[in-house]
């Protein structure tokens, strides 16, 4: 099975969820439910990762650039 991530405007979410729920082959995973199964250490690490991506996105917006970089660079920044 393949997994995709879709961003939907808040005002269109009810319609989108109704549409996806009508598909018998689609499986919906609720992020809040998944986050609820994490240990405290995992939650802390997940929050750090999300914060890092948010900071990175803000910096790119400010610079008006979006450049890909190797995953090794990202992982080295976690040390």
């Amino acid at each position: 099975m393949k997994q995709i991530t879709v961003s939907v405007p808040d005002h269109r979410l009810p319609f989108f969820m109704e549409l996806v729920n009508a598909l018998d082959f689609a499986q919906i995973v609720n992020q809040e439910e998944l986050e609820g199964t994490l240990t405290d250490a995992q939650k802390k690490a997940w929050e750090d990762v999300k914060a890092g991506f948010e900071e990175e996105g803000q910096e790119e917006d400010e610079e008006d650039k979006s450049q890909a970089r190797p995953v090794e660079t990202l992982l080295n920044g976690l040390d």
Side-chain angles (χ1 to χ4, degrees):
M1 179 177 275
K2 299 290 182 187
Q3 182 176 5
I4 63 170
T5 302
V6 179
S7 296
V8 179
D10 290 340
H11 72 281
R12 300 297 294 174
L13 184 61
F15 167 76
F16 181 78
M17 293 306 294
E18 184 178 337
L19 179 67
V20 173
N21 284 324
L23 303 173
D24 63 346
F25 58 86
Q27 178 184 13
I28 300 171
V29 178
N30 185 327
Q31 179 178 347
E32 289 80 21
E33 288 178 22
L34 289 176
E35 289 178 357
T37 64
L38 300 176
T39 65
D40 288 340
Q42 290 171 328
K43 287 178 186 176
K44 170 72 172 116
W46 178 238
E47 291 302 320
D48 290 346
V49 168
K50 288 194 304 187
F53 278 108
E54 289 171 4
E55 289 174 13
E56 182 71 23
Q58 291 172 355
E59 289 173 7
E60 287 178 359
D61 288 344
E62 290 171 6
E63 295 173 5
D64 200 29
K65 296 184 212 178
S66 178
Q67 297 180 350
R69 59 183 191 175
V71 71
E72 290 85 8
T73 305
L74 175 66
L75 294 175
N76 288 338
L78 296 177
D79 292 333

